[in-house]
Structures are given as C-alpha cells and as structure tokens.
Amino acid sequence: MRGPVAPPQVPLSASRSDSFRDLVRDSVERLERRWPQLAEIDFLVLDVPEAEDESVPLGRSVPEAKGRPALIVVYRRPVEIRTKSREERGMLVHEVVVEQVAELLGLAPESVDPRYGQD
C-alpha cells in the first residue's frame, strides 16, 4: 500500500478550500487593524452562490438582523475560476472582502482600503 504524499501537518496536504479560507482570513486580519468593528462581522466561505441571475457574484454581504450579526460571504469557485495563481487569488479575495465590507459600512472601497484597485 502507498501512504500519503505528505503528512497532514505539511502545507502540501492543505485542501484548496482550506487554502482559500486562509486567504479570506488574511484579508480580514489586514483590514481589522484599521477597522476593529470587523470583529463583529461573521465571514463565511461557500463554494458557489445559489442560482440567481445570469451573473455569478464573487461575494455578498448581509446586514445584521435581530439576534444575528452582519455576514460577509466569499464564493470560492467563482474566484478560483477567475484567477490563475495563488497571488492573483489573494488579490481578488481581498478586493471582494473590501467591496463587501464597504457595502456593509456604507463607504467607498477606497475608504476601507486606500490601496484598493492599485494591485
């Protein structure tokens, strides 16, 4: 019998979805330094959005409601399809997070992250 290519603690064995969640987490942590209120927002990664229109969103935000915190969702597969490398994916994830945070806070994306759109 053959064993795994790499032991579980080696990054090689991290799944694509785990790596994607790390990108979202990194983006949120980067923004939390400037916007501490993001700690009150839930961030979620889903593989794909529910079928809606012809357009496929990369993310969405849901304002807080009675007994439920605000939520930002980033859709993994649509982002992955639009990027070729981990670096591109990280940049697009950050753009999606910035756009959704801006929508929730009622600000322009450039206000949330002054480097928005400059990468």
Side-chain angles (χ1 to χ4, degrees):
M1 279 186 113
R2 293 182 178 199
V5 174
Q9 64 273 25
V10 176
L12 178 64
S13 66
S15 70
R16 286 187 355 209
S17 61
D18 289 341
S19 295
F20 192 88
R21 280 188 191 88
D22 290 343
L23 292 174
V24 172
R25 189 175 311 114
D26 292 346
S27 180
V28 172
E29 287 173 359
R30 193 166 128 192
L31 293 174
E32 278 182 332
R33 291 182 203 115
R34 184 171 179 173
W35 302 95
Q37 64 265 48
L38 295 185
E40 305 298 318
I41 298 173
D42 287 342
F43 290 83
L44 179 64
V45 173
L46 294 176
D47 285 339
V48 294
E50 294 179 16
E52 294 174 9
D53 301 327
E54 292 179 16
S55 66
V56 177
L58 302 179
R60 73 180 171 111
S61 60
V62 180
E64 67 180 323
K66 202 182 228 181
R68 183 187 49 74
L71 172 69
I72 291 178
V73 181
V74 181
Y75 298 110
R76 182 176 67 88
R77 293 296 296 141
V79 170
E80 286 178 338
I81 288 169
R82 287 168 177 79
T83 57
K84 293 180 180 167
S85 68
R86 180 174 170 80
E87 184 179 334
E88 281 182 11
R89 198 167 301 119
M91 290 187 318
L92 184 54
V93 163
H94 188 66
E95 284 185 19
V96 172
V97 170
V98 167
E99 289 169 0
Q100 299 309 315
V101 167
E103 186 172 321
L104 275 179
L105 299 179
L107 300 170
E110 297 81 15
S111 298
V112 173
D113 184 353
R115 295 179 298 186
Y116 173 80
Q118 294 178 8
D119 295 329

